[in-house]
């Protein structure tokens, strides 16, 4: 199964952006620290990232992936599409 899991966009300030999205769109805050945040909307998750810590990308949830294990237990790796856009393949 492949589905879009989340989209990551670069922001200047994580805390300020989390507050803005939460206040304006009533999303659930799944995680937030100084380098990234993860927000849950009804239909998709949005990652807020800083340029020097994480690439902006689109993430597809897939059934299996050989990659880096994260603190939440997920495993992912980054690839690029033909135009050089970052794609994260993630398994929870």
């Amino acid at each position: 199964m492949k589905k879009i899991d989340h989209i990551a966009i670069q922001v200047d300030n994580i805390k300020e952006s989390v507050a803005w999205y939460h206040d304006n769109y009533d999303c659930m805050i799944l995680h937030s620290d100084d380098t990234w945040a993860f927000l849950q909307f009804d239909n998709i998750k949005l990652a807020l990232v800083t340029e020097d810590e994480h690439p902006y990308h689109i993430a597809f949830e897939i059934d299996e992936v050989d990659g880096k294990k994260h603190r939440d237990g997920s495993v992912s790796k980054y690839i690029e599409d033909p135009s050089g856009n970052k794609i994260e393949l993630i398994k929870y």
Side-chain angles (χ1 to χ4, degrees):
M1 176 176 144
K2 294 180 182 173
K3 69 175 185 173
I4 294 176
D5 181 67
H6 66 272
I7 294 174
I9 60 172
Q10 287 183 352
V11 298
D12 295 327
N13 182 295
I14 298 292
K15 289 180 183 178
E16 178 182 66
S17 296
V18 166
W20 189 87
Y21 280 97
H22 183 266
D23 293 348
N24 286 287
Y25 298 102
D26 195 31
C27 58
M28 185 184 337
I29 302 167
L30 301 176
H31 175 84
S32 182
D33 65 26
D34 291 335
T35 68
W36 72 285
F38 214 28
L39 308 176
Q40 176 71 59
F41 295 83
D42 287 341
N43 59 337
I44 198 165
K45 291 177 276 199
L46 176 66
L48 306 175
V49 300
T50 57
E51 181 178 10
D52 55 335
E53 291 289 329
H54 304 279
Y56 53 92
H57 61 272
I58 185 169
F60 291 91
E61 184 178 350
I62 61 175
D63 294 330
E64 293 298 325
V65 65
D66 277 336
K68 179 182 174 186
K69 187 170 184 177
H70 302 285
R71 59 185 154 202
D72 66 357
S74 64
V75 178
S76 74
K77 73 175 180 180
Y78 288 97
I79 62 171
E80 291 185 354
D81 73 7
S83 297
N85 296 299
K86 298 290 184 196
I87 307 293
E88 182 180 24
L89 304 176
I90 190 165
K91 179 182 185 287
Y92 291 99

